[in-house]
Amino acid sequence: MKVISQNTAFDGMQGVYAHESDACKCEMTFAVFVPPQAISEPRPVLWYLSGLTCTHANVMEKGEYRRLASELGLIIVCPDTSPRGNEVPDELTNWQMGKGAGFYLDATEKPWAEHYQMYSYITEELPSLISQHFRADMSRQGIFGHSMGGHGAMTIALKNPDRFKSCSAFAPIVQPSMADWSAPALEKYLGADRSAWRRYDACALVEDGARFPEFLIDQGKADSFLEDGLRPWLFEDAIKGTDIALTLRMHERYDHSYYFISTFMDDHLKWHAKRLGCL
């Protein structure tokens, strides 16, 4: 692991790091904010997964999480959204596929399968690195994200309920296998058999028996992607009759941008802190 940058912020340390990934077969970059409390004791880990076209840097520069994360004692881990490098396949004219659009899945189809193993990277390889190099309490982990990252957070939580104690999302893609916004990417990554897509679809996972105690979702009503790609009410319908609790908040005038995310970031940090034993 190499250090790209380290900067003191709110008495904690915001770092950016890179390493050679076995899962993605390329160099991967990620950001970690370590609060001051980690000097003396291991602290809970909160994973933030970014959306389409993003890298680790978007939330780090625009998400406004460090002040409260420092106060609450939360380690914030911000991975990249896809493998990177000249050897990594891409679709240069398609922002919904390839670099910046890994969808947090393990691809099975050529040419994507060799590098696009983001589910394994996020759930196995990177956690191992975090536990080795940071004073992290891996028994207390939460996960959240935005858009494609909200999809990733929800599906990862549903498939790993014993690992994560909390999950929330900003404007998530809750049913990517049926949305025009995401279905073409799933077909390219996973093949034409739609049954394989269900492992990476929050609504389908619930239908197939996956469970997680509760979710918080914030969604802007002025989001231009609301009707075509996001549709959080579909997840609300999917959990009916289950023991899954959902707090779905629809906000007038808010769009899909980091202005929206930064507005409600404190609410999400407090949501996770309460469930991770920090409040």
Side-chain angles (χ1 to χ4, degrees):
M1 191 178 80
K2 64 182 180 183
V3 177
I4 295 177
S5 65
Q6 289 181 322
N7 299 95
T8 300
F10 298 99
D11 295 323
M13 181 65 72
Q14 177 66 71
V16 178
Y17 309 92
H19 72 111
E20 288 297 325
S21 167
D22 291 332
C24 297
K25 294 182 174 58
C26 65
E27 184 176 81
M28 295 293 287
T29 303
F30 63 96
V32 182
F33 176 74
V34 179
Q37 297 90 332
I39 294 172
S40 57
E41 63 178 357
R43 300 304 302 172
V45 178
L46 181 56
W47 298 81
Y48 179 89
L49 306 184
S50 290
L52 288 160
T53 75
C54 292
T55 70
H56 67 282
N58 295 74
V59 69
M60 187 180 76
E61 296 170 354
K62 303 175 185 178
E64 301 181 18
Y65 59 80
R66 276 174 290 269
R67 178 194 58 79
L68 189 56
S70 178
E71 178 183 322
L72 296 171
L74 291 170
I75 294 174
I76 310 293
V77 180
C78 307
D80 202 348
T81 55
S82 76
R84 304 283 177 175
N86 293 333
E87 74 282 6
V88 174
D90 193 17
E91 290 190 1
L92 295 177
T93 60
N94 183 3
W95 60 276
Q96 295 167 314
M97 186 70 197
K99 294 177 185 177
F103 276 92
Y104 304 102
L105 51 76
D106 283 347
T108 57
E109 300 298 300
K110 293 180 179 181
W112 313 102
E114 182 179 359
H115 295 282
Y116 285 79
Q117 300 295 308
M118 288 300 295
Y119 179 81
S120 293
Y121 177 71
I122 296 295
T123 61
E124 298 174 16
E125 186 174 12
L126 191 53
S128 176
L129 205 64
I130 297 300
S131 67
Q132 292 174 39
H133 293 277
F134 301 91
R135 190 166 287 179
D137 182 354
M138 303 303 282
S139 70
R140 292 190 289 167
Q141 296 185 67
I143 190 166
F144 69 146
H146 170 232
S147 193
M148 178 185 72
H151 138 77
M154 293 175 69
T155 56
I156 288 171
L158 283 163
K159 290 193 282 188
N160 298 274
D162 295 333
R163 178 183 303 185
F164 296 99
K165 296 183 179 297
S166 56
C167 182
S168 69
F170 301 98
I173 308 171
V174 300
Q175 196 181 50
S177 64
M178 299 300 292
D180 293 341
W181 218 39
S182 46
L186 295 192
E187 183 168 4
K188 291 175 183 178
Y189 285 134
L190 302 172
D193 182 0
R194 287 177 174 255
S195 65
W197 305 6
R198 298 181 68 83
R199 293 174 293 160
Y200 303 105
D201 183 306
C203 290
L205 283 167
V206 170
E207 291 170 4
D208 293 343
R211 295 292 181 266
F212 195 79
E214 56 182 338
F215 294 91
L216 167 65
I217 294 177
D218 276 311
Q219 173 66 60
K221 288 187 176 181
D223 191 323
S224 60
F225 304 115
L226 180 58
E227 296 290 340
D228 294 334
L230 308 175
R231 303 181 294 177
W233 51 84
L234 296 179
F235 189 71
E236 192 173 34
D237 290 340
I239 65 170
K240 288 179 180 177
T242 74
D243 57 356
I244 298 173
L246 172 64
T247 301
L248 173 58
R249 307 192 303 185
M250 302 292 295
H251 302 280
E252 298 286 350
R253 298 182 291 116
Y254 282 94
D255 58 18
H256 200 67
S257 71
Y258 268 88
Y259 296 108
F260 158 64
I261 295 168
S262 62
T263 299
F264 299 103
M265 178 61 77
D266 280 8
D267 290 353
H268 284 246
L269 294 180
K270 291 174 182 177
W271 165 277
H272 289 279
K274 182 176 181 181
R275 288 150 183 82
L276 296 174
C278 298
L279 282 177

